Amino acid sequence: MHVSFDIASSLDQALRTAAVAAGLEPESFSPEVRAADPRYGDFQANGVLAYAKARKLNPRALAEHIIAALPSDVGEHCSVSIAGPGFINFLLKPESLLQWITAQDTTERLKSGATSLHHGQKYVVDFSSPNTAKQLHVGHVRGMVIGEAICRLLAFCGAEVIRDNHIGDWGTQFGKLIWGYKHHLDQAALAKDPLEELERLYKLTDAATKSAPSVLDAVRAELVLLQSGDAENLALWKKIIALSSGAFTEIYRLLDIHFDHQLGESFYNDKLPAIYAELGSTGLASESQGALVVFHPEHPRFKTQPFIIRKSDGAANYASTDLATMLYRTEHFHADAIAILTDARQADHFEQLWLTTEKWFMMTGRPLPRFTHVSFGSILGEDGKAIKTRSGDPIKLKTLLAEAVDRAFVLVTAKAPELPESERREIATAVGLGAIRYADLAQNRSSDYIFSWDKILSFEGNTAPYLLYAVSRVRSIFRKAGLEPNDASAVTGATPPESPAELALARKLIAFPVALKLTTEQLRPHFLCTYLYELAGEFSSFYAAEKVVVDDASIRARRLLLCSRTLLLLETGLHLLGLRTLVRM
RNA sequence: GGACCCGUAGCUCAGCUGGAUAGAGCGCUUGGCUUCGAACCAAGAGGUCGGGGGUUCGAAUCCCUCCGGGUCUACCA
């Protein structure tokens, strides 16, 4: 065993080797190496317990055998012990901690270490995917920031990532928009603020369809006309798309969100007849109440709840286009994995989509990619209900982001009035946008979360300001010492960590790969957030306990080394999450 | 009715595919700046992990059941 980037994996390998030598059945032994509670060591292996249990063996005795068979170099790097019912604990020697920390000296080095996690896999990530002609609001932000973070993380870990913004540019809302445009357009308002006017038309028509069935029929007719290629409706459609995409781009730029493709629903329009035909000929789809639907008899609910792939009026819906999208991503992009980000309320739809796709691809002999519906909960107000403005409308994303920056500016000005205003503005932008972003990432995406300005802008706790503050403190040390953080000469001659605070920080540093692995395997960025927060915490404790710039050259070098790598991991991690870091704040 | 998500300290949340004495932050109590940034750090109090069964060496985690909250459930996405 050498001190590799991913020590847990090295230990896993060593344990598997030892297990074979000790006479275990290798295919049924999984070492289960994980980061340990610091009280017990750096890593622990729990797999012996399960193996012994299944065979009614004494787990401690079995652990003894495995340890005795471990490759000899494991012992050079860590002390190994058995504890409790049969845990194997590994405590890295300070010299080995130093070796890892010294080696991980640049973002590129970290990336090359992380590459093995998802090397060779091609991911299509579908995120943001707003509806055309509606403004982005607070409900869109979580998918945007989680999606961007997931893309960056997967790419960092070696995957080839294709980012696709699957814009809703073809659905029923266009029936409404076109009908509204034809009957109630206010030209002056359109010239002044196109999105406001389009939104007004949409709301007006939507309300009208609910009170007058004849309007609903008219709206549906407009959609059918559009989807069958009517020239007038097509021209209107193009105009509406152009107006709204400009507004999206503005926000994407502000939040540093990027796409390789924007293949909206309309892109799949000409591919739909083939889908209907295939699903019909394989027998998966059938006619019901005039619509083309798919039932899943083996499923408790979807045996009676249909997946409607073509509406009774012949128009497409999002099941139609999503099926075409699955096919296109498989055949054209050759995706190994597809991840679609939407809020959890669409879980039914994606479960039906996947069940249908599995059967369809199986019956037609197509390769089946992995699929993950990366769902997430809603953002709630402090009253625990869906967050809204006083008038009951959703909060516009533009407004929310502007308020975040404004609030951060007030805080920055209070704490650092001596900085020039331009710099305070810059800091406020990074802190304000970072706070919104981090709040969306730090909590497990499965649950709803309660939005609170005071909480996300606090300098205490698991927040963006706390992490950015830690970064600026490390930078300050180097600035005061007249050094660059990545200056190798400042850290040459570093001795292994010694004091409790040094050791605790060193041990947190080496756990970075575990956090990356968890995050990208489960597509849950909060694992990385938790890790970075704990790292910043260990740094703060270390900083309070030990003076870094001391006279003794070797002590100074080893503490500067710890600072340098803390900075590297914090900045790398925060950038992967999409946050901008600061030199001063 | 059915399905899915959630229920952990007063509040907001972690707890990594069953592991060691369940952890943070806020709030509360107390201590620490003439010393690299105190927007910080250290210490303390605070829990029947919604209730009840079960599976086993071991359960916040898995199974069953009940309670409470949310979401979805045929032509919106």
Side-chain angles (χ1 to χ4, degrees), chain A residues 15-27:
Chain A
L15 284 163
R16 286 176 192 277
T17 306
V20 172
L24 279 73
E25 300 164 33
E27 61 280 358

Side-chain angles (χ1 to χ4, degrees), chain A residues 128 146 178 280 310 315 425 514 529 543 546:
Chain A
S128 187
I146 294 175
I178 289 171
R310 189 183 60 206
R425 293 266 171 222
V514 177
C529 293
Y543 184 81
E546 315 285 8

Side-chain angles (χ1 to χ4, degrees), chain A residues 111-398:
Chain A
K111 188 175 192 297
S112 73
T115 290
S116 64
L117 288 174
H118 294 275
H119 180 68
Q121 298 173 27
K122 189 183 265 194
Y123 267 86
V124 173
V125 181
D126 170 337
F127 71 109
S128 187
S129 308
N131 266 337
T132 312
K134 282 196 210 166
Q135 298 198 50
L136 293 171
H137 58 76
V138 61
H140 293 107
V141 69
R142 206 171 183 191
M144 288 163 66
V145 305
I146 294 175
E148 177 68 26
I150 283 176
C151 289
R152 293 187 188 196
L153 280 156
L154 286 171
F156 189 78
C157 295
E160 182 184 343
V161 178
I162 296 171
R163 301 147 167 260
D164 188 11
N165 191 7
H166 189 69
I167 292 178
D169 61 0
W170 202 241
T172 305
Q173 81 271 24
F174 273 95
K176 293 178 183 168
L177 277 165
I178 289 171
W179 187 88
Y181 197 100
K182 285 181 177 173
H183 294 83
H184 297 286
L185 179 69
D186 176 343
Q187 280 290 358
L190 188 75
K192 194 169 164 235
D193 189 338
L195 272 193
E196 285 290 345
E197 174 61 6
L198 288 175
E199 217 167 50
R200 187 187 70 85
L201 291 172
Y202 179 85
K203 280 187 199 165
L204 185 152
T205 311
D206 190 50
T209 57
K210 279 169 188 149
S211 54
S214 62
V215 176
L216 187 59
D217 290 340
V219 160
R220 285 185 175 149
E222 295 290 6
L223 182 65
V224 172
L225 272 178
L226 172 68
Q227 296 190 348
S228 59
D230 174 75
E232 184 190 2
N233 280 12
L234 212 52
L236 272 180
W237 172 74
K238 281 183 182 156
K239 183 170 182 179
I240 292 167
I241 302 269
L243 289 172
S244 72
S245 88
F248 295 156
T249 307
E250 192 184 322
I251 299 227
Y252 291 144
R253 189 178 301 133
L254 182 63
L255 286 177
D256 205 9
I257 284 173
H258 305 275
F259 300 100
D260 302 306
H261 301 280
Q262 304 222 32
L263 302 177
E265 291 170 349
S266 64
F267 174 78
Y268 297 97
N269 188 43
D270 64 359
K271 300 169 180 60
L272 300 180
I275 308 284
Y276 303 142
E278 276 203 24
L279 285 157
S281 66
T282 52
L284 279 172
S286 55
E287 293 274 341
S288 173
Q289 299 177 24
L292 191 61
V293 306
V294 178
F295 289 102
H296 296 284
E298 78 286 5
H299 194 280
R301 188 154 31 106
F302 303 141
K303 64 185 175 193
T304 52
Q305 181 183 324
F307 190 49
I308 300 171
I309 66 169
R310 189 183 60 206
K311 298 196 285 183
S312 52
D313 62 9
N317 63 3
Y318 81 145
S320 333
T321 48
D322 277 358
L323 284 166
T325 304
M326 293 300 267
L327 181 61
Y328 188 78
R329 288 173 179 166
T330 303
E331 293 201 322
H332 182 266
F333 289 131
H334 304 290
D336 298 302
I338 296 170
I340 298 181
L341 284 91
T342 77
D343 68 80
R345 286 175 299 189
Q346 297 185 43
D348 275 9
H349 166 74
F350 287 107
E351 197 180 343
Q352 287 175 301
L353 174 67
W354 181 238
L355 283 172
T356 307
T357 302
E358 276 182 310
K359 292 177 186 171
W360 172 31
F361 282 15
M362 222 84 95
M363 291 169 94
T364 51
R366 294 188 169 96
L368 195 64
R370 283 175 291 132
F371 173 71
T372 310
H373 176 215
V374 181
S375 67
F376 46 86
S378 311
I379 304 180
L380 306 178
E382 299 201 51
D383 59 356
K385 294 181 175 158
I387 189 164
K388 283 197 170 108
T389 60
R390 236 168 289 167
S391 62
D393 294 322
I395 298 167
K396 288 173 190 159
L397 191 46
K398 231 162 96 177

Side-chain angles (χ1 to χ4, degrees), chain A residues 65-103:
Chain A
H65 284 117
I66 293 173
I67 288 179
L70 276 171
S72 61
D73 58 348
V74 172
E76 291 166 20
H77 291 295
C78 41
S79 54
V80 186
S81 58
I82 301 171
F87 305 112
I88 302 178
N89 290 333
F90 299 89
L91 185 69
L92 259 77
K93 296 181 177 173
E95 294 75 15
S96 302
L97 291 170
L98 176 66
Q99 204 175 315
W100 188 93
I101 294 164
T102 305

Side-chain angles (χ1 to χ4, degrees), chain A residues 503-565:
Chain A
L503 285 164
L505 180 54
R507 301 216 143 98
K508 190 51 78 175
L509 287 169
I510 64 168
F512 179 66
V514 177
L516 271 185
K517 191 173 182 182
L518 273 174
T519 303
T520 54
E521 275 176 354
Q522 301 190 31
L523 303 181
R524 291 182 191 273
H526 81 282
F527 286 118
L528 181 58
C529 293
T530 302
Y531 170 77
L532 294 175
Y533 172 57
E534 289 172 354
L535 176 61
E538 290 297 356
F539 172 75
S540 293
S541 302
F542 160 80
Y543 184 81
E546 315 285 8
K547 183 154 172 73
V548 175
V549 183
V550 293
D551 291 337
D552 184 304
S554 71
I555 295 177
R556 188 171 71 173
R558 81 166 180 247
R559 291 184 182 162
L560 281 170
L561 178 67
L562 288 167
C563 290
S564 159
R565 300 309 187 254

